[in-house]
Amino acid sequence: MTRHFSIVTAALLAGAFPLQAQQAPAPQQETVTPEPVDDTADHNTSPDETSEGTGQTDAGQDAAPRPQPQVGADWPFWGGDAQATRYSPLDQITPENVSQLEEVFTFHTGDLPEGTAEGKYSPEVTPLKIGDDLLMCSAMNILISVNAETGEENWRFDPGVPNEAIPYGATCRGVSAYTDPSTTEGDACATRVIQATLDAKLVAVDMETGTPCEDFGENGTVDLWQDIGERVPGWYAVTAPPAIVRGIIVTGAQVKDGQAEDAPSGVVRGYDAVTGELAWAWDLAAPEQNRNGPPEGEVYTRGTPNMWTTAVADEELGYVYLPLGNSSVDYYGSNRSEVENEYATSLVALDATTGEEVWHFQTVRHDVWDYDLGSQATLLDYQGTAAVLLPSKQGDIYILDRETGEPLTPVGELTDLPKGEIEPDYISDTQPISEWHTLRKPALEEKDMWGFTPIDQLWCRIQYRRANYQGFFTPPSSDRPWIQYPGYNGGSDWGSVAVDTERGIIVANYNDVPNYNRLVPRDEVTSKAINRQTGEEKAGGGAEGAADPQEGSPYGISVNAGWRNTGTGVPCTRPPYGGIRAIDLETGETLWDRPLGTARRNGPFGIPSFLPFDIGTPNNGGSVVTASGLVFIAAATDNLFRAIDIETGETLWSTVLPAGGQANPITYEAGGRQYVMVTAMGHHFMETPVGDEVIAWALPED
């Protein structure tokens, strides 16, 4: 794309204009209400209750690989298949007939923000399809089953998550399912739907009825806040579907960014999928001591790196691969322990039967940029080796040996990196990079600055000159703002990548925006800092913003995500701000690369232009690829759901969604028809309109 734009073209860009949410009422169906839960109950398994010396429950000890459900007519995992490829073998919808797609049904969850939840909704949900049913969660964790052919509601279960539990967004990306091999068809909870909630509960209900599984925890619920410490609503929440491997449910949690070094632990825990008993805990700062839970009166190690995104399970090896985030706080590191430095922003392989580490691979050393690993890793065979593909927020893509963690593709080093003046002894002067493939773009230059008019373009040039910027991994600064590029939204984020394993093509959508940040000295961080949360206050819903306190460190943090002009809302860098790329899996070479997202809903001052030009907008959510050669994706802020030719990158079909499509789509078969589906529910951070729609399309019936 040319670097020179007319004013008319400029008017197409930047902030979003909110449309009215679609609020058609949900059909009246049976709602299952939860039994009261003993909030103080200790659901841990004591060391005496485990197998001697192994830290395992009986289920973990006896677990053996089990056949996994296959993707095709069903979409049984959040990532499609057990390998999280997001590849479907269905081929009824083809590049030749995709233009004939018609909407089959729209289901409304009925979960829309009310009261203090206004402005905090970001559902991001991807349903499962198993048998005749679609299984999903709403923004506030209402579990819902829907007939996959007709869109009629079967049942719903409301776990009663309160608004004050919302961290910075009401998000539930999906659920998981588990079939108990000791049961027979028709038994209660023979197959159970499992989710973890914003108020940190692990919930299991019967897939057929939505009734809580009485044998799981207390009346179908396990309290994940057990042994975490003081309950501060919103500080510890789960937004990702758990991984289940060899009968063990594995989950981490989102720990609210920007609050304090003494934040809840990043402990990752495994629970028996039938009983809900703690099988093991992996507290990276005390892995042996806390394997079966901390000693009485103690809690898991606070402030450690957490896993807020989705793990992937390797049933054959019995491993689970955890993309870890950063320590608390994100933008200052000198107070961190050596073990935090070792594991932060790493992919960690655990033996899911014991909770013991197998290996870890770190993508950022001494991370002070909030470069959490956000994407779910993908399992695949790479040149004859069982491998795991790992995208990062910096835009790098690594392929590692699944058993050892050794890189199978070249990994290089950035050297002589700037160290700054805040903590030069802590900042690493080297960082790993992928020499096989990266989505990362060249470093910014002043000529890349951009604006709605020459005046605000000049303003952005001035901001560029005011900032500390020395290219990739410019360290945080306080005397002046610093430019972080890419920003914390990526590269690749939670939408992850899709892999066409037949054609050998990776499909990766990405963001390409900087952040404009400043460390705020402690004496400038007020006692009522923005986004600060305590046990006595209602949860705040903002993302990292004007001034998060980062208590315990010398600095708060101010983040201008996307580095937008504060007057016009127009980004200070030239478009495109997001794209989608096809990559040869064998060689790592780019096959095609194009902007993702049109200008139809973007413009200065948040006024939509309605113009159809591809400018490449920020995007959140991933894609699905099909055997017929189609890529289905929403994600962008233009509220379009589109089908792309995987061979050429050409858009072959698109349709307007009634709300933001910040979610991963699925495809499945029901009644002999192939469906494609995406949820349109909006996203406060992406500034897309809120909705509650789950929409399915298929080809016309003969």
Side-chain angles (χ1 to χ4, degrees), residues 310-519:
T310 310
V312 64
D314 186 331
E315 182 76 9
E316 189 62 32
L317 288 175
Y319 294 170
V320 60
Y321 302 93
L322 316 173
L324 287 195
N326 204 352
S327 297
S328 295
V329 294
D330 284 307
Y331 298 96
Y332 186 82
S334 293
N335 296 343
R336 296 174 188 162
S337 67
E338 284 303 311
V339 71
E340 289 179 73
N341 292 331
E342 182 178 352
Y343 285 97
T345 323
S346 294
L347 184 71
V348 180
L350 294 187
D351 185 326
T353 65
T354 66
E356 295 175 338
E357 181 197 343
V358 182
W359 53 261
H360 69 279
F361 176 83
Q362 190 167 53
T363 59
V364 183
R365 301 184 182 111
H366 291 193
D367 183 357
V368 289
W369 301 272
D370 197 13
Y371 281 148
D372 299 340
L373 286 172
S375 298
Q376 183 186 32
T378 297
L379 308 184
L380 45 76
D381 289 326
Y382 181 71
Q383 297 180 348
T385 300
V388 56
L389 182 146
L390 175 66
S392 77
K393 282 189 174 180
Q394 306 95 280
D396 288 313
I397 298 178
Y398 302 94
I399 299 180
L400 312 173
D401 186 305
R402 208 184 301 174
E403 291 192 58
T404 67
E406 292 297 320
L408 299 174
T409 51
V411 177
E413 293 267 330
L414 292 176
T415 59
D416 300 322
L417 293 170
K419 307 192 74 169
E421 298 179 354
I422 296 293
E423 41 183 352
D425 294 335
Y426 180 78
I427 301 295
S428 175
D429 60 5
T430 66
Q431 294 289 355
I433 55 167
S434 173
E435 293 182 339
W436 180 73
H437 191 87
T438 184
L439 302 164
R440 186 163 30 90
K441 299 298 180 68
L444 295 173
E445 301 180 42
E446 183 179 340
K447 63 184 179 181
D448 295 323
M449 299 303 102
W450 205 77
F452 171 51
T453 66
I455 294 175
D456 60 317
Q457 183 188 39
L458 176 62
W459 185 88
C460 289
R461 283 180 176 250
I462 293 172
Q463 303 311 307
Y464 179 89
R465 291 195 174 193
R466 283 187 62 232
N468 288 314
Y469 183 58
Q470 297 173 269
F472 305 124
F473 295 105
T474 297
S477 59
S478 181
D479 59 331
R480 293 184 292 166
W482 91 93
I483 298 170
Q484 178 188 349
Y485 182 61
Y488 62 45
N489 272 336
S492 293
D493 207 342
W494 56 266
S496 314
V497 302
V499 182
D500 184 332
T501 51
E502 295 300 316
R503 292 177 177 81
I505 298 175
I506 300 167
V507 176
N509 57 299
Y510 58 90
N511 287 302
D512 186 21
V513 292
N515 288 353
Y516 197 76
N517 308 334
R518 177 176 172 255
L519 288 174

Side-chain angles (χ1 to χ4, degrees), residues 176 240-245 248-251 307 310-313 320-322 376:
S176 301
I244 304 177
V245 56
I248 300 295
I249 302 167
V250 181
T251 185
M307 182 187 73
T310 310
V312 64
V320 60
Y321 302 93
L322 316 173
Q376 183 186 32

Side-chain angles (χ1 to χ4, degrees), residues 89 98 113 119 189 236 301 324 422 460 611:
V98 68
C189 288
Y236 193 79
T301 310
L324 287 195
I422 296 293
C460 289
L611 295 175

Side-chain angles (χ1 to χ4, degrees), residues 111 113 117-125 137-140 166-174 198 239 254 494 541 620 660 662-663 679-691:
D111 185 354
E118 292 284 353
K120 299 178 183 177
Y121 263 41
S122 46
E124 303 176 358
V125 64
C137 52
S138 72
M140 296 299 285
I166 298 173
Y168 91 88
T171 298
C172 179
R173 295 195 186 94
L198 295 173
T239 56
Q254 177 187 106
W494 56 266
N620 242 332
Q662 280 68 56
T679 57
M681 299 182 178
H683 198 288
H684 68 92
F685 185 70
M686 303 295 284
E687 302 178 10
T688 53
V690 173

Side-chain angles (χ1 to χ4, degrees), residues 575-650:
Y577 307 114
I580 185 168
R581 182 179 295 183
I583 303 158
D584 188 308
L585 178 60
E586 184 69 19
T587 66
E589 296 177 354
T590 299
L591 301 175
W592 52 260
D593 185 6
R594 50 159 291 181
L596 177 65
T598 66
R600 61 179 297 276
R601 283 201 68 261
N602 297 271
F605 310 106
I607 301 172
S609 71
F610 301 108
L611 295 175
F613 306 137
D614 281 326
I615 60 166
T617 74
N619 53 88
N620 242 332
S623 64
V624 54
V625 297
T626 70
S628 60
L630 291 171
V631 179
F632 289 96
I633 187 167
T637 58
D638 60 4
N639 298 347
L640 295 181
F641 183 45
R642 44 178 54 85
I644 297 172
D645 188 325
I646 198 170
E647 299 287 353
T648 65
E650 178 186 1

